């Protein structure tokens, strides 16, 4: 068994629905294990500013159903600097915080990993990002809710698209990650899915739209992952118009995908992962991540979970095509 007496939690990077459930699970498990538990506001930035407050059993009451994060979050570029991490480690030691739990994506995990390697602080990463793009885990908290948000929106777009016999290009989130676009494409019966870092096959898109019209389809939907920059949907729109005389409407779903009540899948994952994270620290683990593998929440080396997962199952692309003939 380890000998930690206090832990702190922070959220980092883009928020994701279910982060609050994870915070609640961490706080309640920590108190159950007789640990003191602190919340760091606004991610690594808040840590550097010493924005740290004790959390009690009741401070996490009534948050399980809410999206966002009560601890707020930030993208802290300064944390890439070794001097900044040294300062962060000093602050944790001065506040007598023995270990840190970081809820976020691969960038946030890299910060935690370096804090451990350079300053010996025990850390656990909990994967929290709508993008589902961290290596080493099959699931990241927030993905299912984000997909549901996008699917709901596309279903509504389909109603109006059918009524007017229109083509829509719907841009979804997932910078460098194909996960949201693929799932949304399958779940909405999209005619095409455009993924980041994959050349856009305009000829196929145009041919699919025209074939659909011939066989009596009353609408076409193309789901486009945003890629490096927002606005790829407009690029596709222009190309279809200029080269194929096909007019299409654009809808960029944006941050609406990241908000709202976490669905049961995200609440379950977050509750299990939050609990596992605290127990790992109590048992003396030093640099772990909670992961979902083979249908179970378990622990992995943090070092296995530092990269961005950009691969996808080509069968999923084929499925979109096959099912939308
Ligand atoms: O959290 C991941 C993510 O939602 C990506 O899908 C998206 O590209 C990015 O964050 C947007 O970040 P921000 O909210 O900082 O603009």
């Amino acid at each position: 068994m380890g000998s930690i007496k206090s832990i702190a939690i922070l959220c980092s990077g883009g928020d994701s629905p279910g982060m609050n459930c994870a915070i609640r699970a961490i706080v309640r498990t920590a108190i159950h294990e007789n640990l003191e538990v602190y919340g760091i506001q606004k991610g690594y930035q808040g840590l550097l500013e010493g924005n740290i407050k004790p959390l009690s059993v009741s401070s996490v009451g009534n948050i399980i159903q809410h999206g966002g994060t009560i601890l707020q979050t930030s993208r802290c570029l300064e944390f890439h600097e070794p001097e900044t991490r040294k300062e962060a480690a000093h602050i944790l030691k001065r506040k007598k915080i023995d270990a840190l739990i970081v809820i976020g994506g691969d960038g946030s995990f890299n910060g935690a990993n370096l804090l451990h390697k350079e300053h010996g602080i025990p850390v656990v990463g909990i994967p929290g990002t709508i993008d589902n793009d961290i290596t080493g885990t099959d699931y990241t908290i927030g993905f299912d809710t984000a997909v549901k948000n996008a699917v709901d929106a596309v279903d509504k777009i389909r109603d109006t698209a059918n009524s007017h016999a229109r083509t829509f290009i719907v841009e979804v989130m997932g910078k460098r990650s194909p996960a949201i676009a693929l799932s949304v494409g399958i779940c909405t019966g999209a005619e095409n899915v455009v993924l980041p870092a994959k050349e856009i096959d305009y000829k196929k898109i145009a041919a699919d739209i025209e074939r659909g019209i011939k066989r009596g389809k009353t609408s076409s939907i193309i789901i486009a992952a945003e890629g490096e920059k927002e606005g790829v949907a407009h690029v596709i729109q222009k190309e279809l118009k200029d080269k194929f005389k096909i007019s299409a409407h654009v809808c960029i779903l944006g941050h609406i995908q990241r908000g709202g009540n976490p669905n049961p899948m995200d609440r379950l994952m977050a509750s299990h992962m939050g609990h596992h994270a605290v127990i790992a620290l109590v048992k003396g683990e030093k640099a772990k991540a909670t992961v979902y593998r083979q249908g179970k929440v378990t622990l992995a080396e943090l070092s296995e979970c530092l990269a961005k997962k950009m691969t996808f199952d080509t069968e999923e692309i084929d499925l979109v095509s096959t099912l939308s003939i």
Side-chain angles (χ1 to χ4, degrees):
M1 284 297 198
S3 57
I4 59 158
K5 294 191 173 60
S6 63
I7 61 171
I9 321 162
L10 64 78
C11 295
S12 165
D15 64 317
S16 66
M19 280 183 163
N20 280 330
C21 309
I23 294 167
R24 171 181 177 271
I26 295 166
V27 171
R28 298 267 165 98
T29 307
I31 291 171
H32 185 260
E33 295 293 319
N34 296 315
L35 299 177
E36 279 176 32
V37 54
Y38 294 87
I40 300 173
Q41 270 324 113
K42 294 196 181 157
Y44 289 118
Q45 191 60 49
L47 170 55
L48 296 169
E49 290 160 6
N51 198 345
I52 304 172
K53 292 187 199 91
L55 293 171
S56 65
V57 171
S58 57
S59 64
V60 291
N62 271 316
I63 66 168
I64 197 166
Q65 70 274 40
H66 294 302
T69 158
I70 58 160
L71 293 179
Q72 299 185 285
T73 182
S74 65
R75 299 191 192 274
C76 179
L77 297 180
E78 272 174 271
F79 216 72
H80 291 283
E81 305 303 323
E83 275 309 304
T84 308
R85 295 192 293 271
K86 191 172 171 189
E87 175 60 15
H90 278 317
I91 293 171
L92 287 172
K93 282 175 189 158
R94 240 189 356 256
K95 301 253 181 199
K96 299 199 179 349
I97 292 169
D98 300 325
L100 181 65
I101 296 178
V102 172
I103 311 170
D106 59 298
S108 315
F109 278 19
N110 275 283
N113 189 48
L114 290 170
L115 200 59
H116 169 67
K117 274 183 133 174
E118 294 165 356
H119 305 286
I121 309 227
V123 293
V124 178
I126 296 182
T129 162
I130 63 164
D131 291 348
N132 203 14
D133 63 346
I134 305 181
T135 51
T137 181
D138 295 340
Y139 193 77
T140 64
I141 296 166
F143 176 68
D144 204 44
T145 306
V147 169
K148 167 83 167 69
N149 288 340
V151 167
D152 286 348
V154 176
D155 287 347
K156 291 177 178 121
I157 290 169
R158 185 70 90 167
D159 287 346
T160 175
N162 278 330
S163 305
H164 289 264
R166 282 177 175 161
T167 293
F168 269 81
I169 306 158
V170 182
E171 187 171 309
V172 297
M173 272 186 162
K175 194 178 299 179
R176 280 172 264 145
S177 166
I180 295 179
L182 273 174
S183 292
V184 173
I186 293 169
C187 293
T188 58
E191 276 63 27
N192 271 281
V193 176
V194 172
L195 302 179
K198 201 170 175 284
E199 210 178 316
I200 303 176
D201 188 347
Y202 289 106
K203 266 196 189 152
K204 180 176 180 330
I205 295 176
D208 287 346
I209 293 170
E210 273 151 14
R211 199 190 56 242
I213 293 169
K214 276 199 197 116
R215 83 121 167 102
K217 279 195 185 191
T218 46
S219 66
S220 287
I221 303 262
I222 300 154
I223 303 293
E226 64 183 347
E228 283 307 314
K229 273 196 284 175
E230 219 182 65
V232 67
H234 287 293
V235 175
I236 300 170
Q237 182 189 41
K238 186 167 182 324
E239 200 75 7
L240 289 178
K241 180 98 208 143
D242 293 353
K243 300 237 171 86
F244 303 94
K245 309 271 174 284
I246 292 175
S247 75
H249 283 62
V250 162
C251 179
I252 297 178
L253 296 185
H255 289 81
I256 200 163
Q257 292 159 94
R258 244 172 40 193
N261 303 347
N263 65 14
M265 169 82 160
D266 286 316
R267 296 184 198 200
L268 279 167
M269 285 288 172
S271 300
H272 283 292
M273 287 186 175
H275 177 75
H276 266 69
V278 176
I279 299 301
L281 291 169
V282 169
K283 287 187 174 160
E285 297 292 358
K286 302 288 185 232
K288 295 281 178 186
T290 60
V291 294
Y292 186 64
R293 287 181 187 175
Q294 294 171 337
K296 273 190 77 162
V297 171
T298 180
L299 284 181
E301 297 303 321
L302 184 56
S303 56
E304 291 171 41
C305 307
L306 300 176
K308 206 175 259 305
K309 192 163 42 183
M310 288 151 76
T311 52
F312 58 89
D313 191 345
T314 50
E315 278 180 21
E316 294 210 301
I317 294 252
D318 296 343
L319 187 62
V320 171
S321 288
T322 307
L323 299 189
S324 66
I325 48 173

